[in-house]
Amino acid sequence: PRGARILAVADAWDVMTASRPYHEALTEEAALAELGRGAGTQFWWQAVDAMNRLVERGTLDPIQAPVGDASG
């Protein structure tokens, strides 16, 4: 379903751009490149394209939860 495809990109973005105990956060550019490599195979290309537009426009407003917080 479309919603699941969108959530897959959003979840991957969150994992890549947030610092975790097991890895440092990627830059936006590196995360976009990684999504781009998976566009059309691992990720729905239209959702990746939308994420690119959100980042380019600066309209992506991340919610930063503390590392280890179950809510984020």
Side-chain angles (χ1 to χ4, degrees), residues 8-67:
V9 170
D11 182 57
W13 177 264
D14 179 60
V15 169
M16 290 187 280
T17 60
S19 290
R20 308 287 174 147
Y22 50 88
H23 75 80
E24 290 295 316
L26 296 180
T27 64
E28 287 184 346
E29 294 79 19
L32 287 174
E34 188 64 31
L35 289 175
R37 281 190 284 278
T41 55
Q42 181 178 0
F43 303 115
W44 187 34
W45 71 267
Q46 290 172 318
V48 172
D49 186 53
M51 180 63 78
N52 273 298
R53 289 193 311 269
L54 287 171
V55 172
E56 287 174 4
R57 293 178 187 159
T59 56
L60 191 63
D61 186 20
I63 298 171
Q64 296 298 324
V67 174

